[in-house]
């Protein structure tokens, strides 16, 4: 009897780009769910529940900073072993720019990240819409007039910028540049990268540090999906022009800044690391290897 010829097993979608997209979707979902959830607690949860009797202050801001940091930590742990846990279009583009990631995969990762952020925003709203409605009613504001409840989900520039777009754009470039610079340092095994799977924890601390140092300028989006996914949701849920095109009082047409700024900043961050630190590390590594090999000696 002739040997049976078997066709090669086809790879399931979970083994290819489909699996990576699922990981990016769920990792970004966790990141945004915990991040936006912390903002909801600070802005409407604590005051509306009777657990806070003072105005929004530094303690509330710390809740937000740590909420986003923990969101990053656990989002990276969810997706890191499958997709690398970019969870941020700026990270994906920056890694593609330094040729650590295939350019052809960028659109798929971006789509998964955007969808994860959108769904996370919808779930936070489902859990907090009672508190949001109560806060708007107490302030006597219609939803499309309520910048406060909108800010649970997406970002806007500080009033001191006025109608300038350059200040918030610079802020997003700098904040995301810092993020990618430090990510490059933390994952570089030739530098002093952390061991024992501590990368997610330390990258989360980077986000906490950025929130504490640059957060109040423009809400430290530093992630196009983090801002645009929830922004789309709030537009469909009734916040109107505040969401898209991003117009309210002192700012107008703001929607593009938390997209373009982080994309530029991410590339700048990896370029700074690769042009300044990486060549020095490579040169010293080669020198150490040459030293260890030592001069060749003739056998007697």
């Amino acid at each position: 009897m002739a040997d049976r010829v078997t066709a090669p097993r086809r790879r399931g979608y979970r083994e290819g780009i489909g699996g990576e997209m699922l990981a990016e979707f769920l990792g970004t979902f966790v990141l945004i769910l915990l991040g936006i959830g912390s903002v909801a607690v600070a802005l409407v949860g604590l005051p509306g529940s009777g657990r806070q009797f003072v105005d929004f202050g530094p303690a509330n801001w710390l809740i937000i900073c740590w909420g986003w940091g923990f969101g990053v930590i656990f989002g990276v742990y969810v997706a890191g072993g499958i997709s690398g846990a970019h969870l941020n279009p700026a990270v994906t583009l920056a890694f593609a720019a330094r040729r650590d990631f295939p350019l052809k995969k960028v659109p798929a990762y971006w789509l998964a990240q955007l969808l994860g952020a959108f769904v996370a925003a919808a779930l936070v709203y489902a859990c907090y819409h009672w508190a949001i409605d109560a806060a708007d009613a107490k302030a006597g504001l219609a939803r499309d007039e309520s910048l406060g409840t909108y800010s649970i989900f997406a970002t806007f520039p500080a009033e001191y910028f006025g109608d300038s777009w350059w200040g918030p754009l610079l802020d997003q470039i700098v904040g995301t540049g810092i993020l990618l610079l430090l990510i490059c340092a933390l994952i570089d095994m030739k530098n002093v990268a952390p061991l024992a799977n501590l990368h997610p924890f330390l990258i989360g601390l980077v986000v906490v540090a950025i929130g504490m140092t640059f957060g109040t300028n423009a809400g430290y989006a530093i992630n196009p999906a983090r801002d645009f996914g929830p922004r789309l949701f709030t537009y469909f849920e009734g916040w109107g022009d505040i969401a898209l095109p991003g117009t309210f009082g002192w700012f107008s047409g703001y929607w593009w800044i938390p997209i373009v700024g982080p994309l530029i900043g991410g590339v700048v961050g990896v370029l700074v690391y690769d042009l300044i630190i990486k060549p020095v590390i490579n040169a010293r590594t080669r020198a150490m290897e040459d030293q260890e090999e030592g001069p060749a000696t003739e056998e007697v």
Side-chain angles (χ1 to χ4, degrees), residues 73-85:
I73 292 168
F74 296 120
V76 174
Y77 275 126
V78 165
I82 301 169
S83 66

Side-chain angles (χ1 to χ4, degrees), residues 218-234:
Y220 75 111
I222 59 174
N223 180 336
R226 171 266 175 275
D227 188 84
F228 193 65
R231 185 181 294 273
L232 277 178
F233 175 79
T234 54

Side-chain angles (χ1 to χ4, degrees), residues 51-91:
R51 292 178 173 86
Q52 177 175 313
F53 302 100
V54 296
D55 293 336
F56 183 98
N60 300 77
W61 188 252
L62 288 176
I63 290 172
I64 293 170
C65 290
W66 282 103
W68 282 109
F70 284 125
V72 169
I73 292 168
F74 296 120
V76 174
Y77 275 126
V78 165
I82 301 169
S83 66
H86 296 182
L87 316 184
N88 181 341
V91 173

Side-chain angles (χ1 to χ4, degrees), residues 153-173:
F153 299 94
T155 65
F156 65 92
E159 192 168 359
Y160 46 71
F161 285 120
D163 61 356
S164 168
W165 59 266
W166 169 239
L169 182 65
L170 176 63
D171 171 81
Q172 289 300 291
I173 292 172

Side-chain angles (χ1 to χ4, degrees), residues 38-53:
S38 71
V39 184
V41 165
L43 290 180
V44 297
L46 285 172
S49 66
R51 292 178 173 86
Q52 177 175 313
F53 302 100

Side-chain angles (χ1 to χ4, degrees), residues 107-188:
Y109 270 52
W110 282 5
L111 177 61
Q113 292 155 0
L114 181 64
L115 290 175
F118 184 94
V119 175
L123 184 55
V124 171
Y125 177 78
C127 294
Y128 275 99
H129 74 85
W130 294 275
I132 290 169
D133 290 344
D136 286 342
K138 184 177 180 180
L141 294 172
R143 178 162 293 179
D144 61 0
E145 299 172 338
S146 179
L147 181 64
T149 53
Y150 160 80
S151 67
I152 293 171
F153 299 94
T155 65
F156 65 92
E159 192 168 359
Y160 46 71
F161 285 120
D163 61 356
S164 168
W165 59 266
W166 169 239
L169 182 65
L170 176 63
D171 171 81
Q172 289 300 291
I173 292 172
V174 171
T176 316
I178 293 169
L179 174 66
L180 266 296
L181 170 67
L182 296 180
I183 286 175
C184 288
L186 289 170
I187 65 175
D188 189 348

Side-chain angles (χ1 to χ4, degrees), residues 91-110:
V91 173
T92 302
L93 180 64
F95 284 177
R98 74 191 310 225
R99 300 180 183 179
D100 281 349
F101 184 76
L103 190 61
K104 65 182 181 180
K105 289 186 178 182
V106 169
Y109 270 52
W110 282 5

